[in-house]
Amino acid sequence: QVQLVESGGDLVQAGGSLRLSCAASGSISVINAMGWYRQAPEKQRELVANIYNSGKTNYADSVKGRFTISRDNAKNTVYLQMNSLKPGDTAVYYCNARTKFLLRTTDYWGQGTQVTVSP
């Protein structure tokens, strides 16, 4: 089991910045990747960015060049630095941890943190 606690969501004006944090606890050793997803009202949850143990990162096209994901392994924490925010970034942001043990892959989710970008 992996527990995830997110923080950092807030109301910000367009063009502003926020940093989200997600601290993981529990079965840390089997975490293969951590990342952030978001879900806007009446839309499907989508990947924003993720980072693998190898350091490889992936970003949604809509956030490339504006968002940066990073990971502090000593603190078991992943961050999402969001710059040049747009109203279209408004959503609930969920931290994700994906574990792999033997042949089994499991996704764990945080409770979500609200990001609201005003025009």
Side-chain angles (χ1 to χ4, degrees), residues 38-118:
R38 67 186 181 187
Q39 188 166 18
E42 300 183 0
K43 291 189 176 180
Q44 288 191 331
R45 190 174 296 189
E46 61 176 0
L47 173 69
V48 177
N50 62 5
I51 183 167
Y52 288 82
N53 288 350
S54 64
K56 178 184 176 183
T57 58
N58 295 298
Y59 292 92
D61 287 342
S62 59
V63 307
K64 284 181 181 177
R66 300 188 297 124
F67 292 11
T68 302
I69 191 168
S70 61
R71 187 169 171 177
D72 185 334
N73 291 325
K75 296 182 179 180
N76 299 318
T77 299
V78 64
Y79 304 96
L80 184 68
Q81 178 66 44
M82 304 185 293
N83 299 327
S84 303
L85 282 160
K86 305 174 181 179
D89 295 317
T90 295
V92 177
Y93 284 69
Y94 295 92
C95 180
N96 167 266
R98 176 162 291 178
T99 64
K100 283 192 174 182
F101 182 69
L102 300 178
L103 297 178
R104 183 176 180 179
T105 297
T106 306
D107 282 312
Y108 294 90
W109 298 93
Q111 79 281 2
T113 186
Q114 177 70 47
V115 172
T116 303
V117 184
S118 62

Side-chain angles (χ1 to χ4, degrees), residues 11-32:
L11 169 64
V12 63
Q13 287 189 330
S17 298
L18 282 175
R19 189 176 83 153
L20 304 182
S21 300
C22 174
S25 61
S27 300
I28 303 298
S29 62
V30 295
I31 293 177
N32 176 255

